[in-house]
Amino acid sequence: MRRKLAAGNWKMNGLRSSLDELDALAKAHPDPDCDLLICPPATLIAAAVDRCQGGPLRIGGQTCHMNMEGPHTGDISAQMLRDVGATAVILGHSERRADHGESSEDVRTLAQMAQAAGLQTVICVGESQFQREATNTLDIIGAQLSLSIPDSSTGENLVVAYEPIWAIGTGQIPTADQIGEVHDFIRARLEQRFGYGVGKSVRLLYGGSVKADNAQEIFGISNVDGALVGGASLTAKDFSPIIEALEASALPADS
Ligand code: PEP
């Protein structure tokens, strides 16, 4: 049984006062039926870990460097994230791929380092609008999966997030059939590459304009084990109903 996961990506948002949102989330979900992960900006990670000690929230980074230490001004390594208490890191987000030219090969190297440092890696894949219209989306996703995911991946240290670029922050989301098609494809590819047991145990998140009013439908789609949420993860008020929808989807239908 895969445990559901609600992950929040705060991107370049959040000041120290934003940590109050973590308290509010922890208070609203003291014993959730899913895992909860918040990835705040690097400046808040250590303080967020302290705030969340003993509670239901885990804290992660939004990227890391491909070396563990050295002359890389402004960068942060996987072992530094682990050292301050982060348990996970988002890698290959489309904004990193676009703003920092990260290729899928780069993402695989980052993921190797992060997994070696003991972090869970949330590896993002997704097609652009142009790619969806002009080519076969599954070919794009298939290439990103094989190039971005390292061989060191397991059911514990790998989470894959399907984030169509055209759905991020736009309010536009794919149809349930489109999401299901890609998630079933990702599952099949993972099973082929890592074997049935490992492939089955990797959690697959959908990301892109998840909100309270579409969460229930998204969480009902096959092979959707949770969500990677941007804008709606910034406040407990917006994130809480998404978590509730995920918890409800995790319960057996007759309960
Ligand atoms: C994201 O950037 O990971 C994301 C899913 O953003 P949003 O939920 O705001 O579309």
Side-chain angles (χ1 to χ4, degrees):
M1 238 327 231
R2 296 182 297 271
R3 187 162 159 87
K4 307 271 173 170
L5 169 63
N9 173 14
W10 281 11
K11 311 190 185 190
M12 198 174 71
N13 297 292
L15 302 173
R16 279 182 298 172
S17 57
S18 315
L19 296 173
D20 293 347
E21 298 298 333
L22 302 180
D23 297 336
L25 267 182
K27 198 166 167 212
H29 306 277
D31 187 19
D33 280 320
C34 60
D35 288 343
L36 302 178
L37 172 70
I38 296 286
C39 301
T43 49
L44 295 180
I45 292 175
V49 168
D50 285 349
R51 283 275 188 123
C52 294
Q53 238 23 284
L57 294 172
R58 297 286 163 270
I59 300 300
Q62 298 176 12
T63 187
C64 64
H65 195 268
M66 58 179 68
N67 290 295
M68 287 298 191
E69 59 187 7
H72 304 288
T73 303
D75 280 312
I76 290 175
S77 73
Q79 72 175 4
M80 291 170 173
L81 290 173
R82 194 74 194 100
D83 183 55
V84 291
T87 59
V89 62
I90 299 170
L91 295 171
H93 190 283
S94 58
E95 288 155 12
R96 296 289 312 173
R97 291 177 187 258
D99 295 355
H100 298 269
E102 284 179 5
S103 66
S104 289
E105 289 85 347
D106 294 333
V107 174
R108 186 179 54 215
T109 307
L110 301 182
Q112 263 162 0
M113 295 310 272
Q115 292 176 355
L119 293 170
Q120 189 171 62
T121 49
V122 181
I123 297 183
C124 303
V125 296
E127 80 287 1
S128 67
Q129 181 84 58
F130 174 79
Q131 287 169 326
R132 179 160 277 276
E133 283 161 12
T135 54
N136 182 354
T137 296
L138 299 184
D139 289 343
I140 303 289
I141 303 298
Q144 289 178 346
L145 288 174
S146 43
L147 293 173
S148 307
I149 296 177
D151 290 338
S152 50
S153 299
T154 65
E156 285 77 47
N157 68 17
L158 176 67
V159 172
V160 176
Y162 168 53
E163 298 210 310
I165 299 169
W166 50 277
I168 294 178
T170 59
Q172 240 187 307
I173 61 162
T175 63
D177 284 349
Q178 287 172 327
I179 296 175
E181 180 188 38
V182 176
H183 278 241
D184 289 350
F185 172 80
I186 296 174
R187 176 74 61 215
R189 278 298 173 94
L190 292 172
E191 287 173 4
Q192 251 168 28
R193 177 163 163 197
F194 293 102
Y196 182 78
V198 171
K200 254 294 170 270
S201 58
V202 173
R203 288 174 292 181
L204 308 186
L205 309 184
Y206 168 76
S209 296
V210 176
K211 305 273 181 263
D213 59 6
N214 57 27
Q216 190 189 357
E217 186 188 2
I218 292 169
F219 296 146
I221 300 169
S222 87
N223 279 314
V224 173
D225 304 311
L228 179 55
V229 182
S233 72
L234 292 173
T235 63
K237 175 177 73 56
D238 289 336
F239 201 28
S240 242
I242 295 173
I243 294 168
E244 279 159 22
L246 186 59
E247 289 182 295
S249 80
L251 295 171
D254 58 356
S255 66

